[in-house]
Amino acid sequence: TKREAHLCFAWSQTMVTDEIRRREKLTHARFEDFLEALARITTFKAFPTDNELEAKGCRTCGEFFHLLVKEGSLKSFNASHAVDWREEQEEGRPIEDVLDKLLDTVVTRLDHDGSKTVDAKDFKLASGHD
C-alpha cells in the first residue's frame, strides 16, 4: 500500500540532526537508504515459497506473479499470505530468500522485451516510444 511505501522510505532514511540546514538529506534517499528500503519492503510483501513456485511450474518469483495475474488469483494469494511486518522483523523469512524474490519480481516487471535484463529499450517499450 502507499502507507507501507511511505513507512519503508521513512524508516530507511539516515537520521538528520538539523532538519533545516540538511533538508535535502531529510527528503532524499541516498543509495544506502535505497538498499535498506528494498530490504524493508520484504517485510510487507507476500512471496511464494520455493514449494509454491515448483507447484505452479514457475522458475522465478516474477513468473509466479505473472501467472497469478493471468489466472486472476493474485488477490486471493495476497489474502492467504498476509504478512505482519512486526513478525517479519522478529522471526521472519531469511532476508536472502525474500530479497532475491523481490528483485526478481521487479526485474520481471520492468523487462518488457523478455531479455532477462532491464535496459533503455525496456523503458522505450514501456513508454510507447521508439
Side-chain angles (χ1 to χ4, degrees):
T1 66
K2 267 189 167 181
R3 177 185 172 275
E4 292 165 344
H6 285 283
L7 289 174
C8 288
F9 176 78
W11 290 341
S12 300
Q13 287 182 289
T14 304
M15 190 168 132
V16 177
T17 56
D18 187 340
E19 297 164 353
I20 303 300
R21 288 190 200 155
R22 295 189 173 100
R23 185 85 182 143
E24 186 172 325
K25 286 187 178 184
L26 180 67
T27 59
H28 294 76
R30 297 175 324 162
F31 181 68
E32 295 85 356
D33 301 335
F34 172 71
L35 294 177
E36 183 173 340
L38 287 175
R40 289 186 181 276
I41 288 170
T42 66
T43 65
F44 288 97
K45 180 78 180 121
F47 292 101
T49 64
D50 291 339
N51 289 340
E52 289 171 319
L53 288 174
E54 189 177 324
K56 287 278 189 184
C58 297
R59 290 180 292 129
T60 67
C61 195
E63 280 181 39
F64 181 86
F65 284 122
H66 182 73
L67 181 62
L68 291 185
V69 169
K70 190 175 176 181
E71 294 175 346
S73 58
L74 181 60
K75 279 188 178 184
S76 65
F77 173 82
N78 286 332
S80 66
H81 289 71
V83 177
D84 182 323
W85 65 269
R86 293 171 198 90
E87 290 176 13
E88 279 297 308
Q89 286 188 327
E90 294 296 320
E91 57 200 53
R93 305 157 293 180
I95 188 71
E96 62 273 10
D97 179 48
V98 289
L99 190 55
D100 182 57
K101 289 176 178 173
L102 171 66
L103 294 175
D104 177 73
T105 302
V106 169
V107 169
T108 301
R109 183 79 171 120
L110 294 175
D111 181 21
H112 293 279
D113 62 4
S115 65
K116 304 282 189 237
T117 60
V118 179
D119 53 25
K121 184 178 178 185
D122 291 308
F123 290 105
K124 286 180 183 176
L125 290 170
S127 66
H129 294 87
D130 291 331

